[in-house]
Short mmCIF file of all heavy atoms in Angstrom, two decimals:
data_model
loop_
_atom_site.label_atom_id
_atom_site.label_comp_id
_atom_site.label_asym_id
_atom_site.label_seq_id
_atom_site.Cartn_x
_atom_site.Cartn_y
_atom_site.Cartn_z
N MET A 1 4.66 53.69 -44.84
CA MET A 1 5.91 54.24 -44.29
C MET A 1 6.68 53.13 -43.58
O MET A 1 6.11 52.38 -42.80
CB MET A 1 5.58 55.38 -43.33
CG MET A 1 6.78 56.26 -42.99
SD MET A 1 7.53 57.12 -44.39
CE MET A 1 6.24 58.31 -44.76
N MET A 2 7.97 53.07 -43.87
CA MET A 2 8.82 52.04 -43.28
C MET A 2 9.80 52.71 -42.31
O MET A 2 10.25 53.81 -42.55
CB MET A 2 9.65 51.34 -44.36
CG MET A 2 8.86 50.76 -45.50
SD MET A 2 8.06 49.22 -45.06
CE MET A 2 9.49 48.13 -45.03
N ASN A 3 10.10 52.00 -41.23
CA ASN A 3 11.12 52.46 -40.28
C ASN A 3 12.19 51.39 -40.18
O ASN A 3 11.87 50.23 -39.89
CB ASN A 3 10.51 52.68 -38.90
CG ASN A 3 9.83 54.02 -38.81
OD1 ASN A 3 10.49 55.05 -38.77
ND2 ASN A 3 8.51 54.02 -38.82
N GLU A 4 13.43 51.78 -40.43
CA GLU A 4 14.53 50.83 -40.33
C GLU A 4 15.67 51.46 -39.55
O GLU A 4 15.89 52.67 -39.63
CB GLU A 4 15.06 50.46 -41.72
CG GLU A 4 14.06 49.75 -42.62
CD GLU A 4 13.88 48.27 -42.31
OE1 GLU A 4 14.66 47.72 -41.48
OE2 GLU A 4 12.97 47.67 -42.89
N THR A 5 16.39 50.62 -38.83
CA THR A 5 17.62 51.07 -38.18
C THR A 5 18.77 50.26 -38.73
O THR A 5 18.76 49.03 -38.66
CB THR A 5 17.52 50.92 -36.65
OG1 THR A 5 16.42 51.70 -36.18
CG2 THR A 5 18.79 51.42 -35.97
N LEU A 6 19.72 50.96 -39.33
CA LEU A 6 20.87 50.29 -39.96
C LEU A 6 22.10 50.43 -39.08
O LEU A 6 22.33 51.49 -38.49
CB LEU A 6 21.17 50.95 -41.32
CG LEU A 6 20.03 51.00 -42.32
CD1 LEU A 6 20.43 51.84 -43.52
CD2 LEU A 6 19.69 49.59 -42.79
N LYS A 7 22.89 49.38 -39.02
CA LYS A 7 24.21 49.44 -38.37
C LYS A 7 25.20 49.94 -39.40
O LYS A 7 25.32 49.35 -40.49
CB LYS A 7 24.63 48.04 -37.91
CG LYS A 7 23.99 47.63 -36.59
CD LYS A 7 24.84 48.14 -35.43
CE LYS A 7 24.22 47.73 -34.09
NZ LYS A 7 24.81 48.52 -33.00
N VAL A 8 25.90 51.02 -39.08
CA VAL A 8 26.84 51.61 -40.03
C VAL A 8 28.19 51.79 -39.36
O VAL A 8 28.28 52.33 -38.25
CB VAL A 8 26.31 52.98 -40.54
CG1 VAL A 8 27.31 53.63 -41.48
CG2 VAL A 8 24.97 52.80 -41.25
N GLN A 9 29.23 51.30 -40.05
CA GLN A 9 30.59 51.43 -39.53
C GLN A 9 31.31 52.59 -40.19
O GLN A 9 31.09 52.87 -41.37
CB GLN A 9 31.38 50.14 -39.80
CG GLN A 9 31.02 49.02 -38.85
CD GLN A 9 31.82 47.75 -39.10
OE1 GLN A 9 32.36 47.58 -40.18
NE2 GLN A 9 31.87 46.88 -38.11
N GLY A 10 32.17 53.26 -39.43
CA GLY A 10 33.05 54.28 -39.99
C GLY A 10 32.64 55.70 -39.66
O GLY A 10 33.37 56.63 -39.98
N MET A 11 31.48 55.87 -39.03
CA MET A 11 31.06 57.22 -38.67
C MET A 11 31.73 57.59 -37.34
O MET A 11 31.62 56.86 -36.37
CB MET A 11 29.54 57.29 -38.50
CG MET A 11 28.76 56.90 -39.75
SD MET A 11 26.98 57.12 -39.55
CE MET A 11 26.62 56.00 -38.19
N SER A 12 32.45 58.70 -37.33
CA SER A 12 33.22 59.01 -36.13
C SER A 12 33.07 60.44 -35.62
O SER A 12 33.55 60.74 -34.53
CB SER A 12 34.70 58.72 -36.39
OG SER A 12 35.14 59.49 -37.49
N CYS A 13 32.46 61.32 -36.36
CA CYS A 13 32.38 62.70 -35.90
C CYS A 13 31.18 63.41 -36.49
O CYS A 13 30.43 62.83 -37.28
CB CYS A 13 33.67 63.46 -36.26
SG CYS A 13 33.85 63.76 -38.03
N ALA A 14 31.03 64.68 -36.14
CA ALA A 14 29.86 65.44 -36.60
C ALA A 14 29.82 65.56 -38.13
O ALA A 14 28.74 65.61 -38.72
CB ALA A 14 29.87 66.83 -35.97
N HIS A 15 30.99 65.56 -38.74
CA HIS A 15 31.01 65.62 -40.20
C HIS A 15 30.37 64.38 -40.82
O HIS A 15 29.63 64.44 -41.79
CB HIS A 15 32.46 65.76 -40.71
CG HIS A 15 32.59 65.53 -42.18
ND1 HIS A 15 32.99 64.32 -42.71
CD2 HIS A 15 32.33 66.34 -43.23
CE1 HIS A 15 32.97 64.42 -44.04
NE2 HIS A 15 32.58 65.62 -44.37
N CYS A 16 30.67 63.23 -40.23
CA CYS A 16 30.09 61.97 -40.71
C CYS A 16 28.57 61.99 -40.54
O CYS A 16 27.83 61.57 -41.44
CB CYS A 16 30.66 60.79 -39.93
SG CYS A 16 32.46 60.65 -40.01
N VAL A 17 28.13 62.45 -39.38
CA VAL A 17 26.69 62.54 -39.12
C VAL A 17 26.03 63.39 -40.19
O VAL A 17 25.01 63.02 -40.78
CB VAL A 17 26.43 63.14 -37.71
CG1 VAL A 17 24.95 63.41 -37.50
CG2 VAL A 17 26.97 62.22 -36.63
N ASN A 18 26.66 64.54 -40.46
CA ASN A 18 26.14 65.44 -41.46
C ASN A 18 26.10 64.83 -42.85
O ASN A 18 25.11 64.98 -43.58
CB ASN A 18 27.04 66.68 -41.51
CG ASN A 18 26.25 67.93 -41.33
OD1 ASN A 18 25.13 68.03 -41.80
ND2 ASN A 18 26.84 68.87 -40.62
N ALA A 19 27.18 64.15 -43.23
CA ALA A 19 27.28 63.55 -44.56
C ALA A 19 26.18 62.52 -44.76
O ALA A 19 25.53 62.48 -45.82
CB ALA A 19 28.66 62.91 -44.74
N VAL A 20 25.95 61.69 -43.74
CA VAL A 20 24.92 60.64 -43.86
C VAL A 20 23.53 61.25 -43.82
O VAL A 20 22.68 60.96 -44.68
CB VAL A 20 25.09 59.59 -42.74
CG1 VAL A 20 23.91 58.63 -42.70
CG2 VAL A 20 26.40 58.81 -42.94
N GLU A 21 23.31 62.14 -42.86
CA GLU A 21 21.95 62.70 -42.73
C GLU A 21 21.56 63.53 -43.94
O GLU A 21 20.42 63.46 -44.40
CB GLU A 21 21.83 63.53 -41.44
CG GLU A 21 21.80 62.65 -40.19
CD GLU A 21 21.56 63.40 -38.89
OE1 GLU A 21 21.69 64.65 -38.86
OE2 GLU A 21 21.25 62.74 -37.89
N SER A 22 22.51 64.30 -44.48
CA SER A 22 22.12 65.15 -45.61
C SER A 22 21.96 64.33 -46.89
O SER A 22 21.01 64.56 -47.64
CB SER A 22 23.07 66.32 -45.80
OG SER A 22 24.37 65.87 -46.04
N SER A 23 22.84 63.35 -47.13
CA SER A 23 22.72 62.59 -48.38
C SER A 23 21.47 61.70 -48.37
O SER A 23 20.74 61.63 -49.35
CB SER A 23 23.97 61.75 -48.63
OG SER A 23 24.18 60.82 -47.59
N VAL A 24 21.23 61.02 -47.25
CA VAL A 24 20.04 60.17 -47.17
C VAL A 24 18.78 61.04 -47.16
O VAL A 24 17.77 60.71 -47.80
CB VAL A 24 20.10 59.24 -45.95
CG1 VAL A 24 18.79 58.47 -45.78
CG2 VAL A 24 21.27 58.26 -46.08
N GLY A 25 18.88 62.18 -46.47
CA GLY A 25 17.72 63.07 -46.39
C GLY A 25 17.30 63.64 -47.73
O GLY A 25 16.15 64.04 -47.90
N GLU A 26 18.24 63.67 -48.68
CA GLU A 26 17.91 64.20 -50.00
C GLU A 26 17.18 63.18 -50.88
O GLU A 26 16.64 63.54 -51.92
CB GLU A 26 19.20 64.63 -50.74
CG GLU A 26 19.67 66.01 -50.33
CD GLU A 26 21.05 66.35 -50.89
OE1 GLU A 26 21.55 65.60 -51.74
OE2 GLU A 26 21.61 67.37 -50.45
N LEU A 27 17.20 61.93 -50.49
CA LEU A 27 16.53 60.91 -51.30
C LEU A 27 15.02 61.15 -51.29
O LEU A 27 14.44 61.46 -50.25
CB LEU A 27 16.81 59.51 -50.75
CG LEU A 27 18.22 58.96 -50.91
CD1 LEU A 27 18.34 57.64 -50.16
CD2 LEU A 27 18.56 58.77 -52.38
N GLN A 28 14.42 60.97 -52.46
CA GLN A 28 12.98 61.09 -52.54
C GLN A 28 12.32 60.02 -51.68
O GLN A 28 12.72 58.86 -51.72
CB GLN A 28 12.54 60.94 -54.00
CG GLN A 28 11.83 62.16 -54.52
CD GLN A 28 11.05 61.87 -55.78
OE1 GLN A 28 11.34 60.89 -56.45
NE2 GLN A 28 10.09 62.69 -56.08
N GLY A 29 11.33 60.41 -50.91
CA GLY A 29 10.60 59.44 -50.12
C GLY A 29 11.11 59.26 -48.70
O GLY A 29 10.45 58.62 -47.89
N VAL A 30 12.29 59.84 -48.40
CA VAL A 30 12.82 59.74 -47.04
C VAL A 30 12.24 60.89 -46.21
O VAL A 30 12.41 62.06 -46.56
CB VAL A 30 14.36 59.79 -47.03
CG1 VAL A 30 14.90 59.91 -45.60
CG2 VAL A 30 14.92 58.55 -47.70
N SER A 31 11.53 60.55 -45.15
CA SER A 31 10.91 61.61 -44.35
C SER A 31 11.73 61.98 -43.12
O SER A 31 11.63 63.09 -42.63
CB SER A 31 9.50 61.22 -43.95
OG SER A 31 9.52 60.00 -43.25
N SER A 32 12.52 61.04 -42.63
CA SER A 32 13.42 61.42 -41.54
C SER A 32 14.62 60.49 -41.50
O SER A 32 14.52 59.31 -41.85
CB SER A 32 12.69 61.45 -40.19
OG SER A 32 12.70 60.17 -39.60
N VAL A 33 15.75 61.04 -41.09
CA VAL A 33 16.96 60.25 -40.93
C VAL A 33 17.71 60.80 -39.75
O VAL A 33 17.87 62.00 -39.59
CB VAL A 33 17.82 60.24 -42.22
CG1 VAL A 33 18.09 61.64 -42.74
CG2 VAL A 33 19.15 59.51 -41.99
N LYS A 34 18.13 59.88 -38.86
CA LYS A 34 18.80 60.29 -37.63
C LYS A 34 19.96 59.34 -37.37
O LYS A 34 19.78 58.13 -37.35
CB LYS A 34 17.80 60.24 -36.48
CG LYS A 34 18.30 60.84 -35.19
CD LYS A 34 18.08 62.37 -35.13
CE LYS A 34 18.87 63.02 -34.00
NZ LYS A 34 20.20 63.51 -34.42
N VAL A 35 21.14 59.94 -37.17
CA VAL A 35 22.33 59.14 -36.85
C VAL A 35 22.53 59.11 -35.35
O VAL A 35 22.47 60.16 -34.70
CB VAL A 35 23.58 59.72 -37.54
CG1 VAL A 35 24.84 59.00 -37.05
CG2 VAL A 35 23.46 59.62 -39.05
N ASP A 36 22.76 57.92 -34.80
CA ASP A 36 23.20 57.78 -33.41
C ASP A 36 24.68 57.39 -33.46
O ASP A 36 25.02 56.23 -33.72
CB ASP A 36 22.37 56.71 -32.69
CG ASP A 36 22.73 56.63 -31.19
OD1 ASP A 36 23.92 56.78 -30.85
OD2 ASP A 36 21.81 56.41 -30.39
N LEU A 37 25.53 58.39 -33.25
CA LEU A 37 26.97 58.19 -33.40
C LEU A 37 27.50 57.17 -32.39
O LEU A 37 28.33 56.32 -32.73
CB LEU A 37 27.66 59.54 -33.23
CG LEU A 37 29.08 59.71 -33.78
CD1 LEU A 37 29.17 59.32 -35.24
CD2 LEU A 37 29.52 61.16 -33.60
N GLY A 38 27.02 57.24 -31.16
CA GLY A 38 27.50 56.35 -30.10
C GLY A 38 27.21 54.89 -30.41
O GLY A 38 28.04 54.02 -30.16
N LYS A 39 26.04 54.64 -30.95
CA LYS A 39 25.66 53.26 -31.27
C LYS A 39 26.09 52.84 -32.67
O LYS A 39 26.01 51.66 -33.01
CB LYS A 39 24.13 53.11 -31.17
CG LYS A 39 23.59 53.18 -29.75
CD LYS A 39 22.07 52.96 -29.79
CE LYS A 39 21.44 53.04 -28.41
NZ LYS A 39 19.97 53.14 -28.50
N GLY A 40 26.48 53.81 -33.50
CA GLY A 40 26.80 53.49 -34.89
C GLY A 40 25.57 53.07 -35.67
O GLY A 40 25.62 52.13 -36.46
N GLU A 41 24.47 53.77 -35.42
CA GLU A 41 23.21 53.41 -36.07
C GLU A 41 22.61 54.59 -36.82
O GLU A 41 22.77 55.73 -36.42
CB GLU A 41 22.19 52.92 -35.02
CG GLU A 41 22.55 51.57 -34.44
CD GLU A 41 21.57 51.09 -33.38
OE1 GLU A 41 20.69 51.87 -32.95
OE2 GLU A 41 21.69 49.94 -32.96
N VAL A 42 21.92 54.24 -37.89
CA VAL A 42 21.18 55.23 -38.66
C VAL A 42 19.73 54.79 -38.70
O VAL A 42 19.42 53.69 -39.19
CB VAL A 42 21.73 55.35 -40.11
CG1 VAL A 42 20.91 56.36 -40.91
CG2 VAL A 42 23.20 55.75 -40.10
N SER A 43 18.86 55.63 -38.17
CA SER A 43 17.42 55.34 -38.20
C SER A 43 16.81 56.15 -39.33
O SER A 43 17.04 57.35 -39.44
CB SER A 43 16.76 55.73 -36.89
OG SER A 43 17.33 55.00 -35.83
N VAL A 44 16.04 55.47 -40.15
CA VAL A 44 15.46 56.16 -41.30
C VAL A 44 13.99 55.77 -41.46
O VAL A 44 13.61 54.61 -41.26
CB VAL A 44 16.30 55.86 -42.58
CG1 VAL A 44 16.43 54.39 -42.84
CG2 VAL A 44 15.76 56.60 -43.79
N ALA A 45 13.18 56.77 -41.75
CA ALA A 45 11.77 56.55 -42.06
C ALA A 45 11.57 56.93 -43.52
O ALA A 45 12.01 58.00 -43.95
CB ALA A 45 10.89 57.41 -41.16
N TYR A 46 10.96 56.04 -44.27
CA TYR A 46 10.85 56.29 -45.71
C TYR A 46 9.59 55.64 -46.29
O TYR A 46 9.02 54.71 -45.72
CB TYR A 46 12.09 55.78 -46.44
CG TYR A 46 12.32 54.28 -46.35
CD1 TYR A 46 11.95 53.43 -47.39
CD2 TYR A 46 12.90 53.72 -45.21
CE1 TYR A 46 12.15 52.07 -47.30
CE2 TYR A 46 13.10 52.36 -45.12
CZ TYR A 46 12.72 51.53 -46.17
OH TYR A 46 12.91 50.17 -46.07
N ASP A 47 9.21 56.17 -47.44
CA ASP A 47 8.08 55.65 -48.20
C ASP A 47 8.63 54.64 -49.21
O ASP A 47 9.36 55.02 -50.13
CB ASP A 47 7.40 56.82 -48.92
CG ASP A 47 6.20 56.37 -49.75
OD1 ASP A 47 6.10 55.17 -50.08
OD2 ASP A 47 5.40 57.25 -50.10
N ASN A 48 8.33 53.37 -49.02
CA ASN A 48 8.96 52.35 -49.87
C ASN A 48 8.36 52.26 -51.27
O ASN A 48 8.75 51.41 -52.06
CB ASN A 48 9.03 50.99 -49.17
CG ASN A 48 7.67 50.40 -48.91
OD1 ASN A 48 6.67 51.12 -48.94
ND2 ASN A 48 7.61 49.11 -48.65
N SER A 49 7.43 53.15 -51.60
CA SER A 49 7.01 53.24 -53.00
C SER A 49 7.89 54.24 -53.75
O SER A 49 7.85 54.33 -54.98
CB SER A 49 5.53 53.64 -53.10
OG SER A 49 5.35 54.97 -52.68
N LYS A 50 8.68 55.03 -53.00
CA LYS A 50 9.52 56.05 -53.64
C LYS A 50 11.01 55.75 -53.55
O LYS A 50 11.79 56.25 -54.35
CB LYS A 50 9.26 57.42 -53.01
CG LYS A 50 7.86 57.93 -53.31
CD LYS A 50 7.67 59.34 -52.78
CE LYS A 50 6.26 59.86 -53.10
NZ LYS A 50 5.77 60.78 -52.08
N THR A 51 11.40 54.98 -52.55
CA THR A 51 12.81 54.60 -52.43
C THR A 51 12.84 53.21 -51.80
O THR A 51 11.80 52.62 -51.54
CB THR A 51 13.61 55.63 -51.61
OG1 THR A 51 15.00 55.31 -51.71
CG2 THR A 51 13.20 55.66 -50.15
N SER A 52 14.03 52.69 -51.62
CA SER A 52 14.14 51.34 -51.06
C SER A 52 15.28 51.31 -50.06
O SER A 52 16.16 52.17 -50.07
CB SER A 52 14.45 50.34 -52.19
OG SER A 52 15.70 50.64 -52.76
N LEU A 53 15.26 50.28 -49.23
CA LEU A 53 16.34 50.11 -48.26
C LEU A 53 17.67 49.97 -48.98
O LEU A 53 18.69 50.50 -48.55
CB LEU A 53 16.05 48.89 -47.39
CG LEU A 53 16.95 48.73 -46.16
CD1 LEU A 53 16.88 49.95 -45.26
CD2 LEU A 53 16.56 47.48 -45.39
N ASN A 54 17.63 49.27 -50.12
CA ASN A 54 18.83 49.10 -50.92
C ASN A 54 19.42 50.44 -51.37
O ASN A 54 20.63 50.66 -51.31
CB ASN A 54 18.48 48.23 -52.13
CG ASN A 54 19.69 47.55 -52.70
OD1 ASN A 54 20.55 47.08 -51.96
ND2 ASN A 54 19.78 47.50 -54.02
N GLN A 55 18.56 51.32 -51.83
CA GLN A 55 19.03 52.62 -52.29
C GLN A 55 19.59 53.44 -51.13
O GLN A 55 20.59 54.15 -51.28
CB GLN A 55 17.87 53.37 -52.96
CG GLN A 55 18.35 54.64 -53.66
CD GLN A 55 17.26 55.31 -54.47
OE1 GLN A 55 16.08 55.03 -54.32
NE2 GLN A 55 17.67 56.22 -55.35
N ILE A 56 18.96 53.32 -49.97
CA ILE A 56 19.44 54.03 -48.79
C ILE A 56 20.82 53.51 -48.40
O ILE A 56 21.74 54.28 -48.11
CB ILE A 56 18.42 53.89 -47.64
CG1 ILE A 56 17.14 54.67 -47.99
CG2 ILE A 56 19.01 54.36 -46.31
CD1 ILE A 56 15.94 54.30 -47.14
N GLN A 57 20.99 52.18 -48.42
CA GLN A 57 22.29 51.58 -48.09
C GLN A 57 23.36 52.05 -49.07
O GLN A 57 24.48 52.39 -48.68
CB GLN A 57 22.20 50.05 -48.13
CG GLN A 57 21.40 49.50 -46.96
CD GLN A 57 21.24 47.99 -47.03
OE1 GLN A 57 21.48 47.37 -48.06
NE2 GLN A 57 20.82 47.40 -45.93
N GLU A 58 23.02 52.07 -50.36
CA GLU A 58 23.99 52.50 -51.37
C GLU A 58 24.39 53.96 -51.17
O GLU A 58 25.55 54.33 -51.36
CB GLU A 58 23.42 52.31 -52.78
CG GLU A 58 23.53 50.87 -53.26
CD GLU A 58 22.92 50.66 -54.63
OE1 GLU A 58 22.59 51.64 -55.32
OE2 GLU A 58 22.75 49.47 -55.00
N THR A 59 23.43 54.78 -50.78
CA THR A 59 23.71 56.20 -50.55
C THR A 59 24.68 56.37 -49.39
O THR A 59 25.62 57.17 -49.46
CB THR A 59 22.39 56.95 -50.29
OG1 THR A 59 21.55 56.80 -51.44
CG2 THR A 59 22.63 58.43 -50.03
N ILE A 60 24.48 55.59 -48.33
CA ILE A 60 25.39 55.65 -47.18
C ILE A 60 26.78 55.17 -47.60
O ILE A 60 27.80 55.78 -47.26
CB ILE A 60 24.83 54.82 -46.01
CG1 ILE A 60 23.54 55.46 -45.48
CG2 ILE A 60 25.88 54.67 -44.89
CD1 ILE A 60 22.78 54.59 -44.48
N GLU A 61 26.82 54.09 -48.39
CA GLU A 61 28.12 53.56 -48.82
C GLU A 61 28.83 54.52 -49.76
O GLU A 61 30.06 54.62 -49.73
CB GLU A 61 27.92 52.16 -49.43
CG GLU A 61 27.67 51.15 -48.31
CD GLU A 61 27.24 49.77 -48.79
OE1 GLU A 61 26.99 49.61 -50.00
OE2 GLU A 61 27.16 48.88 -47.93
N ASP A 62 28.07 55.23 -50.58
CA ASP A 62 28.66 56.24 -51.48
C ASP A 62 29.36 57.35 -50.69
O ASP A 62 30.27 58.00 -51.21
CB ASP A 62 27.58 56.89 -52.36
CG ASP A 62 27.17 55.98 -53.51
OD1 ASP A 62 27.86 54.98 -53.76
OD2 ASP A 62 26.15 56.29 -54.16
N GLN A 63 28.93 57.56 -49.45
CA GLN A 63 29.58 58.58 -48.62
C GLN A 63 30.85 58.02 -47.95
O GLN A 63 31.55 58.76 -47.27
CB GLN A 63 28.62 59.07 -47.53
CG GLN A 63 27.38 59.79 -48.07
CD GLN A 63 27.75 61.04 -48.86
OE1 GLN A 63 28.55 61.84 -48.42
NE2 GLN A 63 27.16 61.18 -50.06
N GLY A 64 31.10 56.73 -48.12
CA GLY A 64 32.33 56.14 -47.60
C GLY A 64 32.17 55.34 -46.33
O GLY A 64 33.16 55.02 -45.67
N TYR A 65 30.94 54.99 -45.97
CA TYR A 65 30.70 54.21 -44.76
C TYR A 65 30.17 52.82 -45.13
O TYR A 65 29.65 52.62 -46.21
CB TYR A 65 29.71 54.95 -43.85
CG TYR A 65 30.14 56.38 -43.63
CD1 TYR A 65 29.47 57.42 -44.24
CD2 TYR A 65 31.27 56.66 -42.86
CE1 TYR A 65 29.90 58.73 -44.09
CE2 TYR A 65 31.71 57.97 -42.71
CZ TYR A 65 31.02 59.00 -43.33
OH TYR A 65 31.46 60.30 -43.18
N ASP A 66 30.33 51.89 -44.20
CA ASP A 66 29.91 50.52 -44.46
C ASP A 66 28.65 50.19 -43.70
O ASP A 66 28.61 50.29 -42.47
CB ASP A 66 31.01 49.54 -44.04
CG ASP A 66 32.21 49.61 -44.97
OD1 ASP A 66 32.01 49.80 -46.18
OD2 ASP A 66 33.35 49.50 -44.48
N VAL A 67 27.64 49.74 -44.42
CA VAL A 67 26.42 49.23 -43.79
C VAL A 67 26.65 47.76 -43.50
O VAL A 67 27.02 47.00 -44.39
CB VAL A 67 25.19 49.42 -44.71
CG1 VAL A 67 23.93 48.89 -44.02
CG2 VAL A 67 25.01 50.89 -45.07
N VAL A 68 26.49 47.38 -42.22
CA VAL A 68 26.79 45.99 -41.84
C VAL A 68 25.52 45.21 -41.53
O VAL A 68 24.44 45.76 -41.48
CB VAL A 68 27.75 45.92 -40.64
CG1 VAL A 68 29.11 46.46 -41.04
CG2 VAL A 68 27.22 46.65 -39.45
CU1 CU B 101 33.58 62.21 -39.38
#
């Protein structure tokens, strides 16, 4: 199990939190995802045999936010 915290730009409200948490949460192998809106961070715990940090970043970017 891997734990990563990503810096994400563009998240500004509860809708953004929802969009990121639900899309990343749907990925296979992701066991938890939590957005910290104040810090602009997304913490994710995942099984790296089922998904990858790259795939998680792409999923966040597909929702319209920038991983920095
Ligand atoms: Cu928003």
Side-chain angles (χ1 to χ4, degrees):
M1 196 62 70
M2 305 283 287
N3 279 288
E4 297 281 351
T5 300
L6 304 172
K7 279 274 180 196
V8 177
Q9 283 181 340
M11 301 184 299
S12 58
C13 70
H15 168 262
C16 302
V17 172
N18 234 324
V20 170
E21 287 185 345
S22 60
S23 61
V24 174
E26 278 172 10
L27 290 173
Q28 241 197 339
V30 171
S31 57
S32 87
V33 52
K34 189 86 194 92
V35 172
D36 185 322
L37 200 53
K39 290 182 181 167
E41 289 179 351
V42 178
S43 300
V44 56
Y46 63 99
D47 180 341
N48 65 342
S49 69
K50 293 185 179 148
T51 189
S52 63
L53 191 57
N54 203 40
Q55 189 173 16
I56 291 164
Q57 289 177 345
E58 280 178 11
T59 300
I60 293 170
E61 285 171 352
D62 283 348
Q63 296 299 313
Y65 309 107
D66 289 323
V67 180
V68 293

